[in-house]
Amino acid sequence: MSKILVTGGCGYIGSHTLVDLIGSGFEVISVDNNSRSSPRILEGVEKITGQKIKNYKVDLCNFDDTFAIFQENTDIAGIIHFAAYKAVGESVAEPVMYFENNLVSLLNLLKCVQEFKVPYFVFSSSCTVYGNPDVIPVTETTPPKPAESPYGYTKQMGEQIINEFAKVNPTQCILLRYFNPVGAHPSIQIGELPIGKPANLVPAITQTAIGKLPQMTVFGNDYDTRDGSCLRDFIHVSDIAHAHTLSLQYLMDGKSQKHCDVFNLGTGNGVTVLEAIRAFEKVSGAALNYAIGPRRPGDVIAIYANNEYAVKELGWEIKYSLEDMMETAWKWEQRLKADETLYLLQNANLN
């Protein structure tokens, strides 16, 4: 079994990827300082997989502590790097914090990859690298526009850093640009855990429906889209997680002809914010209390993926529908409500 290091393994996509990797026969270790996550989520991973996960509670911005993980695990065959701050609004308010955290952690990791000759590196990127594209759906060759937020710039810069690194090192890299991961594992043992008030749409919907939030805001209804609300490509988190496993297998099987390859991870379908709300209402049977508010700084107007390259090259299949996404997200929210003590987080105020 190849050993894979997953950074941000206690996070939303990281925890689902741990499950998928284990199900595909990989050995996994996690690093997560839990500044934006709960270590309890690994209990859910253990229930699904039957395996206890070793997590290093390390801040990747500390090089010596990061280096020590590699000294202890000299047999790491690949890395999937999720760990980063990801709230668009917070990045607009705290740009220096975002640049420091997201870029220093990446640089420290790559120093260790170089030192310990780790052969494979998969990077959690984002559709935010495209900015406000002129043409949609976007392909992997769509020219990036200026990012709409410091968070988006950290992903653009991260990709640049990895591209330059891959030119002069034997490590093969893949950049995965995902769109809007939503939903929860079908077992409802793990799911999204926004800290404080959620910055992402689906947790805001489910928290409003369950009564945690009195009302949710739709940020703008005067955009040039079907119904005036922003248009996004929502994809189930388990589909996203599986693409990471497929990416590692793709590299390990020698199928990549590039030092650094790029794949879009989306369904290929654009869904507006208001359409997503209607889909939730249909699945849950609950009428959502929402209001139209002003546009939010940093929001891209409309974006969805052309995913043909990932489907063709990785053999990636999308298994979950928009209704599946909403149904699993709602069941997860109900589970959190039933066991409110399970994932109480006191250590941060944003996801």
Side-chain angles (χ1 to χ4, degrees):
M1 287 199 303
S2 299
K3 183 185 286 186
I4 307 302
L5 172 64
V6 177
T7 76
C10 299
Y12 178 38
I13 308 174
S15 59
H16 286 77
T17 301
L18 289 173
V19 169
D20 200 88
L21 287 167
I22 292 167
S24 300
F26 288 97
E27 180 186 351
V28 296
I29 54 173
S30 166
V31 54
D32 196 312
N33 69 352
N34 300 132
S35 66
R36 301 288 172 103
S37 63
S38 169
R40 298 288 305 272
I41 208 79
L42 294 180
E43 295 173 17
V45 174
E46 187 177 344
K47 284 177 183 172
I48 298 168
T49 63
Q51 292 193 25
K52 194 162 183 63
I53 310 299
K54 181 172 182 59
N55 180 62
Y56 291 87
K57 194 171 180 179
V58 163
D59 183 348
L60 295 171
C61 291
N62 183 310
F63 177 74
D64 290 342
D65 289 350
T66 303
F67 193 82
I69 297 170
F70 288 83
Q71 286 180 308
E72 193 174 306
N73 299 274
T74 56
D75 56 343
I76 292 172
I79 296 170
I80 301 178
H81 179 40
F82 293 107
Y85 293 161
K86 62 169 188 167
V88 168
E90 186 190 31
S91 78
V92 173
E94 299 280 357
V96 172
M97 180 174 79
Y98 266 66
F99 287 123
E100 180 179 39
N101 182 77
N102 292 4
L103 297 178
V104 172
S105 58
L106 172 62
L107 290 166
N108 283 345
L109 261 185
L110 290 177
K111 288 178 193 174
C112 294
V113 168
Q114 191 170 32
E115 177 73 22
F116 291 90
K117 298 180 171 55
V118 179
Y120 309 115
F121 189 88
V122 177
F123 179 61
S124 162
S125 192
S126 165
C127 64
T128 56
V129 300
Y130 295 114
N132 266 311
D134 293 326
V135 179
I136 49 177
V138 293
T139 71
E140 289 80 0
T141 57
T142 296
K145 301 284 284 292
E148 292 292 308
S149 66
Y151 165 73
Y153 276 118
T154 68
K155 291 302 183 185
Q156 287 183 343
M157 292 174 180
E159 286 196 4
Q160 285 181 297
I161 290 165
I162 294 164
N163 263 301
E164 296 303 321
F165 175 86
K167 287 177 186 176
V168 294
N169 285 280
T171 302
Q172 283 188 292
C173 303
I174 283 180
L175 314 174
L176 295 178
R177 293 174 179 163
Y178 24 94
F179 285 67
N180 293 77
V182 297
H185 191 270
S187 67
I188 317 299
Q189 293 292 341
I190 56 175
E192 189 165 9
L193 281 178
I195 301 170
K197 189 173 181 179
N200 294 334
L201 176 66
V202 174
I205 289 174
T206 59
Q207 288 191 16
T208 302
I210 206 128
K212 280 186 191 173
L213 298 174
Q215 185 182 61
M216 72 161 280
T217 303
V218 174
F219 295 106
N221 67 343
D222 58 349
Y223 288 107
D224 184 16
T225 60
R226 286 191 292 270
D227 56 24
S229 63
C230 288
L231 186 136
R232 296 289 181 266
D233 188 338
F234 297 100
I235 181 152
H236 195 281
V237 63
S238 293
D239 281 331
I240 288 271
H242 189 52
H244 290 76
T245 302
L246 292 174
S247 295
L248 278 175
Q249 290 170 331
Y250 182 75
L251 294 176
M252 290 175 170
D253 292 344
K255 292 180 179 176
S256 178
Q257 305 303 310
K258 302 176 183 177
H259 298 301
C260 187
D261 215 339
V262 183
F263 294 97
N264 280 339
L265 299 183
T267 61
N269 297 309
V271 177
T272 70
V273 170
L274 291 172
E275 287 167 349
I277 288 172
R278 286 196 289 275
F280 173 80
E281 289 179 329
K282 179 184 172 185
V283 164
S284 67
L288 200 69
N289 182 21
Y290 67 91
I292 305 297
R295 295 183 179 195
R296 181 172 60 176
D299 277 345
V300 171
I301 299 166
I303 190 163
Y304 61 97
N306 178 320
N307 63 10
E308 292 171 7
Y309 187 50
V311 169
K312 175 174 167 282
E313 289 295 311
L314 301 179
W316 186 48
E317 295 178 28
I318 292 164
K319 294 182 178 177
Y320 298 89
S321 67
L322 180 62
E323 286 72 24
D324 295 331
M325 300 176 212
M326 293 299 177
E327 186 176 8
T328 54
W330 180 228
K331 286 180 177 176
W332 171 249
E333 188 68 67
Q334 291 171 309
R335 177 165 184 232
L336 292 178
K337 173 79 170 177
D339 193 354
E340 290 179 348
T341 60
L342 186 57
Y343 294 113
L344 282 178
L345 298 170
Q346 308 294 338
N347 52 3
N349 59 6
L350 280 163
N351 69 333

